[in-house]
Amino acid sequence: MPPALEDPELNINHPYYDVARHGIIQLAGDDNSGRKVITFSCCRMPPSHQLNHTRLLEYLKYTLDQYVENDYTVVYFHYGLKSVNKPSMKWLQTAYKEFDRKYKKNLKALYVVHPTNFIKILWNIFKPLISHKFGKKITYLNYLSDLREHLKYDQLNIPPEVIRHDENLRGKQKGKLPPVVKVPPPRPPLPTQQFGVSLQYIKDKNKGELIPPVMKETVSYLKRKGLQVEGLFRRSASIQTIKDVQKLYNQGKSVNFDDYQDIHIPAVTLKTFLRELPQPLLTFECYDPIIGITSVESSLRVTRCKQIIQGLPEHNYVVLKYLICFLHLVSQESIYNRMTASSLACVFGLNLIWPSKGTASLSALVPLNLFTELLIDFYMNIFNSRTVPGEILP
């Protein structure tokens, strides 16, 4: 049996602790389109008599329920599925039926890594049930390296057993390992760069302006034209278009979002900007205090949020205040856009804060999203007592 993957943030009172403790299902950051990535690792499944597969199915749905309102991606690591831990065919049929349109609609990609003959047999059995549209979302990948063109590989938290298996496969391929690809050293940022550089760098290169131009322009555009768009910030956008927009910004060129005729382009651009900051807007130092928000009595949580926010560096505070003020405006239009503070928190939580090493675990999501929701809901209360010279609001 594989050792249980201990998650320091996993509470024994978690409703699915018995399943969650194995680390079979994990959150793994975002893909190249900004969609949440969920991984399923077969090698983490203990023998069938030690794992209640009905509970596993419930836990999988419980996990996906946090994301199905948004576009998401699943990576399935097939290695490690053996006769001792393999679910029954009846269970697989039940699982497929349980995942109704709610789950399939916003699943944008399913990557099956290290497929075997068993997968091919399964495919033939389920083919009559699987729609052509859903079938097109499935991509089979023979090697881990194939994931790099689709996902942020370093965020994936791949089980060591899967990495070893991949190395063995590659070693058998023509009896030798493929040549090591040399990665060129990173180029120094352009003076006009906005993605992947610090807030301080952008400020220094933009005459001391506190709000980065890309944030100011996306927020301004969305405030004018997107406040009542249903599902604002939930949808993904063309990867190539987002790369093109990033390139224009990094080169200091103007971007006219009207040219794209897609309100989700500026929305995804804003999320991408936040996600590519070298340090999260809420800073690494705030990660542990934010995780602790669920252990604070409900009536004191807003006060605790305020304390944490007051401790932010001045520049981070100003940019955060600007962003949360805008998200508060979005939430006030939720009767039209369906984006409540809670919905926005699910989208923005992990774009505002992440740990300094690895990615946030599934159990960390509850406090991270709760903290973000409180910021949006109680914006006036939390941000009213600190004003910084030169700060602006949307």
Side-chain angles (χ1 to χ4, degrees):
M1 173 182 168
L5 187 68
E6 283 306 315
D7 174 358
E9 284 142 8
L10 184 65
N11 190 305
I12 197 161
N13 297 320
H14 187 289
Y16 291 97
Y17 179 81
D18 55 320
V19 182
R21 69 191 185 91
H22 296 292
I24 301 162
I25 301 160
Q26 292 196 299
L27 183 72
D30 303 289
D31 68 9
N32 292 341
S33 297
R35 303 181 289 230
K36 287 285 168 280
V37 176
I38 293 165
T39 62
F40 188 105
S41 303
C42 290
C43 66
R44 290 269 168 214
M45 290 172 66
S48 296
H49 67 277
Q50 293 176 19
L51 178 69
N52 182 327
H53 286 148
T54 304
R55 293 274 295 163
L56 174 63
L57 179 56
E58 287 172 8
Y59 176 54
L60 183 55
K61 287 174 72 176
Y62 168 86
T63 302
L64 293 180
D65 277 340
Q66 300 171 61
Y67 301 102
V68 292
E69 294 299 322
N70 312 306
D71 295 345
Y72 70 102
T73 292
V74 172
V75 179
Y76 169 77
F77 294 113
H78 182 63
Y79 175 73
L81 192 69
K82 304 182 175 82
S83 55
V84 290
N85 65 356
K86 191 184 291 180
S88 68
M89 198 62 74
K90 187 179 178 185
W91 182 89
L92 290 168
Q93 286 176 317
T94 304
Y96 187 79
K97 285 175 190 166
E98 290 273 329
F99 289 108
D100 54 22
R101 186 173 181 274
K102 177 176 93 166
Y103 297 95
K104 292 168 192 164
K105 178 170 160 265
N106 290 337
L107 172 66
K108 295 304 173 187
L110 168 59
Y111 298 106
V112 177
V113 183
H114 301 137
T116 61
N117 285 334
F118 175 71
I119 292 285
K120 290 168 190 165
I121 293 165
L122 267 191
W123 177 253
N124 287 329
I125 292 169
F126 283 98
K127 205 168 183 179
L129 301 173
I130 297 172
S131 69
H132 175 67
K133 194 173 177 183
F134 184 78
K136 287 195 335 192
K137 297 178 182 182
I138 303 172
T139 304
Y140 295 101
L141 304 173
N142 291 322
Y143 301 106
L144 289 174
S145 57
D146 299 334
L147 281 167
R148 290 185 187 275
E149 63 183 276
H150 307 283
L151 307 164
K152 293 179 180 166
Y153 184 84
D154 297 334
Q155 292 185 356
L156 283 177
N157 205 356
I158 301 166
E161 305 94 307
V162 174
I163 294 172
R164 283 196 297 272
H165 174 66
D166 191 74
E167 287 168 352
N168 289 338
L169 285 178
R170 296 181 80 85
K172 286 174 187 170
Q173 184 197 27
K174 297 176 185 171
K176 61 180 182 185
L177 286 169
V180 176
V181 179
K182 287 187 179 176
V183 179
R187 293 179 185 173
L190 298 164
T192 48
Q193 187 110 0
Q194 291 199 58
F195 289 85
V197 292
S198 68
L199 292 176
Q200 187 62 46
Y201 184 91
I202 300 171
K203 179 186 169 189
D204 291 344
K205 303 292 182 185
N206 286 276
K207 300 174 184 171
E209 281 195 35
L210 292 169
I211 307 300
V214 62
M215 179 178 279
K216 197 186 288 183
E217 289 171 23
T218 50
V219 164
S220 170
Y221 188 88
L222 292 167
K223 187 184 172 190
R224 285 198 323 274
K225 303 197 173 187
L227 286 183
Q228 295 190 350
V229 172
E230 187 174 331
L232 185 67
F233 292 115
R234 270 191 178 149
R235 300 277 82 87
S236 50
S238 152
I239 299 172
Q240 193 52 53
T241 305
I242 297 302
K243 283 182 178 173
D244 293 343
V245 170
Q246 283 183 273
K247 192 174 178 182
L248 288 171
Y249 271 116
N250 285 341
Q251 291 174 345
K253 295 176 181 173
S254 63
V255 175
N256 181 358
F257 287 113
D258 281 337
D259 293 344
Y260 300 98
Q261 298 185 324
D262 180 358
I263 197 69
H264 301 296
I265 299 291
V268 173
T269 300
L270 175 60
K271 290 190 293 182
T272 304
F273 169 75
L274 292 166
R275 202 168 50 247
E276 293 194 1
L277 285 169
Q279 179 167 202
L281 187 55
L282 282 164
T283 72
F284 290 132
E285 289 72 22
C286 285
Y287 184 79
D288 287 338
I290 288 171
I291 289 292
I293 194 73
T294 40
S295 58
V296 176
E297 193 183 319
S298 298
S299 61
L300 301 174
R301 284 175 181 168
V302 173
T303 305
R304 181 65 183 133
C305 284
K306 196 168 184 174
Q307 288 171 345
I308 294 170
I309 295 304
Q310 296 299 328
L312 283 174
E314 193 172 89
H315 195 179
N316 293 64
Y317 177 84
V318 171
V319 176
L320 180 71
K321 185 174 181 179
Y322 181 90
L323 176 68
I324 299 296
C325 177
F326 170 63
L327 296 181
H328 182 69
L329 292 175
V330 174
S331 71
Q332 288 183 313
E333 300 288 342
S334 62
I335 191 168
Y336 302 106
N337 60 36
R338 306 286 180 89
M339 296 304 286
T340 60
S342 174
S343 308
L344 289 165
C346 286
V347 174
F348 276 90
L350 279 176
N351 290 318
L352 295 176
I353 183 76
W354 56 85
S356 55
K357 289 180 183 169
T359 55
S361 64
L362 278 169
S363 50
L365 283 186
V366 174
L368 296 185
N369 290 351
L370 171 64
F371 184 85
T372 310
E373 183 180 348
L374 292 170
L375 292 186
I376 297 168
D377 252 342
F378 297 93
Y379 160 75
M380 301 294 284
N381 186 333
I382 291 170
F383 290 91
N384 67 357
S385 58
R386 183 180 175 189
T387 306
V388 175
E391 75 171 37
I392 61 166
L393 293 174

